[in-house]
Amino acid sequence: MKTELTNICKEKSSRFVASLFPSSIDHQCQQLASDIAGIGFCQLHYSENHLLYDQKLLDILHLSEYNSQNGLSDFFSLLHMDDAGFVKEAIDNAIISGQLTIECRLVNESNIQRWLAVKGTVYNSEDTSKPVLLLACRDITQEKNSVETIAALTKKLSLATSSGKIGLWDILLPDFEIHWDESMYQLFGLASNKAQPLFAVWLKSIHEEDVEAQKNIIENAIAEKTNFESEFRIVRPDNSIRYLKSYGFLRHNTKGDVCGVLGAYLDITDQKNAEQELSRLNQNLEKRAEELIASNNELERFAYIASHDLQEPLRMVSSFMHLLTDQYGDTLDSAAKEYIHYAVDGAERMKRLIMDLLEYSRVGTNKDKYEQVDINQVLKNIEQVFEPELSETKGQIIYGELPVIKGIATQIEQLFQNLISNALKYHGSLPPKIYITYKEDEQYWTFFVKDNGIGINAKFFEKIFVIFQRLHSNSKYSGTGIGLAVCKKIVDRHKGSIWVESEPNIGSIFYFTVYKYL
């Protein structure tokens, strides 16, 4: 059966194909042309209600073999549901007119959809003299998909241009004739007027400071045969200024000569306004930075004065009080000696206050570079500094292996020293024990300094880090109220945070972080 059907189809198909070529071309050439063109054939025996397919068409449709028992109803079952109606009507009309030209969709046994371009002609069967519709079918699925893709892209482009942010233009050479799409008129704030000389409108709309540059950019691109990008300003009829980004692509004729420029304008006004605002903010920041540098220089000058000029009168007061005591001590009564003691003590406290204030001011102006700091070595140095206090109180500084971090070495040591000094100063009845541990995450080192001292009331957790804020009288615990403020300033310098947890009569834990990537 397969051989019989194939031979019948080939014979009828050959007649149809032969009619397309001069009689001098032999049958093999005709068949080759059919194969190259990707054309398959089928015969529709209209009155007998059945079809015959050749193998080429079966291959195109990815169908298994159909036999002569397949009627028109079976053929229509292959058609896409939306196409069946007009295909049936077209076949009925073709039997009368003798010609058929349609495009339709078929869905094969695997539920795969194919597009077919179908051309047909009617002839009378030699055997029965009944009309037979010979159909030549070509697979146009890929073409249709491409058209649909282009249509989708065109729709997206249309949506983009309809927003008024993108306009398309075309320049025809050599007359420099310009064509705009509707969105170009929106970009330029103009009413659509096809009669307008657009080249003149274009030149008139460009900002006077940019017009020559834009003309030169396009002329140079045409002369050098290169695509181009540029930015320029336009002035709309309402005098508002818009910034446009221009993209130009050269078009060439068959000889390779430039025959036009196809391009697009993108409205970047919002972007430019944001850039200008950012530039203004940067300028303000630079000005502020200069002011801060000047302020730091003033602080450094103050630090010099504090470390020299302000201390000299205090040294004189202290020295003369000691001389007064040495030379006239035997003649002074107890009240005079008490006054001298207060004067000397006040001078010493003022000196300590000035030195602490000097240390506080230096933290922000320190020009030392960040370097690798071994915390183990830092604590060994601090143990030596506090050896007398540790011996007197039988205190201990307890720590395991600690990390090497990046920081300003002198400041990191000052930070630990201040915290340990407070733990030793504010210890309770028990010998002070100070535990130092740490943990780390991806960005920060976190250190813990824990003591068993007198503790801090929760309402003072914030206050203790403010300069000159003290919780105890000078008669009970000496100090200036600057130590923890210096700690906070050092931690800030290392892009970290410092805080405390504490219970009165239990002890305190000071936490601080140091940023890893300084």
Side-chain angles (χ1 to χ4, degrees), residues 349 352-353 356 422 425-426 456 460 462-485:
R349 284 192 289 112
R352 287 198 302 272
L353 180 61
D356 286 348
N422 281 354
K425 181 191 297 184
Y426 300 106
I456 304 169
F460 299 123
E462 298 294 332
K463 179 180 178 180
I464 59 175
F465 295 107
V466 179
I467 190 169
F468 297 136
Q469 297 297 313
R470 304 193 68 229
L471 304 184
H472 307 279
S473 66
N474 198 62
S475 60
K476 190 172 184 180
Y477 295 102
S478 63
T480 58
I482 293 180
L484 287 177

Side-chain angles (χ1 to χ4, degrees), residues 202-264:
W202 177 73
L203 285 179
K204 183 180 178 181
S205 298
I206 296 177
H207 193 285
E208 60 182 6
E209 296 177 3
D210 298 344
V211 64
E212 287 300 322
Q214 285 307 300
K215 288 171 63 178
N216 291 337
I217 287 171
I218 295 177
E219 289 171 358
N220 291 339
I222 293 171
E224 298 172 8
K225 297 184 178 181
T226 58
N227 298 330
F228 63 89
E229 293 182 16
S230 66
E231 293 180 7
F232 64 97
R233 293 164 294 175
I234 62 170
V235 181
R236 287 179 168 179
D238 61 1
N239 290 323
S240 63
I241 296 176
R242 308 296 295 180
Y243 288 83
L244 301 184
K245 177 86 171 182
S246 174
Y247 299 90
F249 303 91
L250 303 187
R251 293 192 291 110
H252 302 81
N253 58 23
T254 55
K255 297 180 180 179
D257 298 326
V258 177
C259 63
V261 185
L262 182 64

Side-chain angles (χ1 to χ4, degrees), residues 266-502:
L266 174 64
D267 189 333
I268 57 171
T269 305
D270 293 342
Q271 176 187 330
K272 280 294 181 180
N273 289 340
E275 289 175 358
Q276 290 172 359
E277 178 64 16
L278 181 60
S279 176
R280 186 186 66 79
L281 292 174
N282 285 335
Q283 289 175 359
N284 289 341
L285 286 174
E286 289 174 2
K287 183 180 179 180
R288 181 60 179 154
E290 291 173 357
E291 293 173 352
L292 287 174
I293 291 172
S295 176
N296 284 339
N297 291 335
E298 290 178 2
L299 284 173
E300 288 181 356
R301 285 193 294 271
F302 163 76
Y304 177 82
I305 293 171
S307 61
H308 294 84
D309 298 351
L310 290 181
Q311 291 189 59
E312 184 58 29
L314 294 174
R315 281 193 293 267
M316 290 181 65
V317 170
S318 183
S319 296
F320 279 105
M321 289 296 102
H322 284 301
L323 285 173
L324 185 62
T325 302
D326 292 342
Q327 293 187 19
Y328 302 100
D330 295 339
T331 62
L332 297 173
D333 60 17
S334 60
K337 289 180 179 179
E338 185 177 0
Y339 297 154
I340 291 172
H341 170 73
Y342 287 147
V344 172
D345 183 63
E348 289 298 324
R349 284 192 289 112
M350 179 63 75
K351 181 180 178 180
R352 287 198 302 272
L353 180 61
I354 291 172
M355 294 303 295
D356 286 348
L357 191 59
L358 175 63
E359 183 62 38
Y360 181 80
S361 67
R362 282 175 174 168
V363 171
T365 59
N366 195 303
K367 294 184 175 63
D368 291 341
K369 294 181 179 179
Y370 295 105
E371 58 184 319
Q372 297 299 313
V373 182
D374 186 344
I375 304 301
N376 302 284
Q377 186 60 49
V378 166
L379 293 180
K380 288 178 183 177
N381 296 341
I382 293 173
E383 284 178 319
Q384 292 179 359
V385 170
F386 290 115
E387 185 177 358
E389 288 87 345
L390 291 169
S391 298
E392 180 182 346
T393 60
K394 296 181 181 180
Q396 294 177 278
I397 301 175
I398 303 165
Y399 58 92
E401 188 67 24
L402 296 171
V404 175
I405 69 172
K406 193 172 185 180
I408 299 173
T410 55
Q411 292 187 3
I412 294 295
E413 187 162 330
Q414 183 69 54
L415 173 60
F416 277 102
Q417 185 171 313
N418 286 5
L419 293 174
I420 292 171
S421 174
N422 281 354
L424 291 171
K425 181 191 297 184
Y426 300 106
H427 72 84
S429 57
L430 298 174
K433 287 187 177 181
I434 304 163
Y435 299 88
I436 298 173
T437 55
Y438 81 99
K439 68 177 182 178
E440 65 174 308
D441 57 31
E442 292 182 359
Q443 292 187 309
Y444 291 94
W445 301 103
T446 301
F447 292 92
F448 309 74
V449 180
K450 179 181 179 182
D451 64 54
N452 61 342
I454 62 174
I456 304 169
N457 192 303
K459 66 181 180 180
F460 299 123
F461 284 176
E462 298 294 332
K463 179 180 178 180
I464 59 175
F465 295 107
V466 179
I467 190 169
F468 297 136
Q469 297 297 313
R470 304 193 68 229
L471 304 184
H472 307 279
S473 66
N474 198 62
S475 60
K476 190 172 184 180
Y477 295 102
S478 63
T480 58
I482 293 180
L484 287 177
V486 170
C487 290
K488 185 178 186 308
K489 202 169 185 181
I490 290 172
V491 171
D492 289 344
R493 184 80 186 273
H494 289 75
K495 298 183 180 180
S497 303
I498 186 169
W499 66 98
V500 65
E501 294 178 358
S502 182

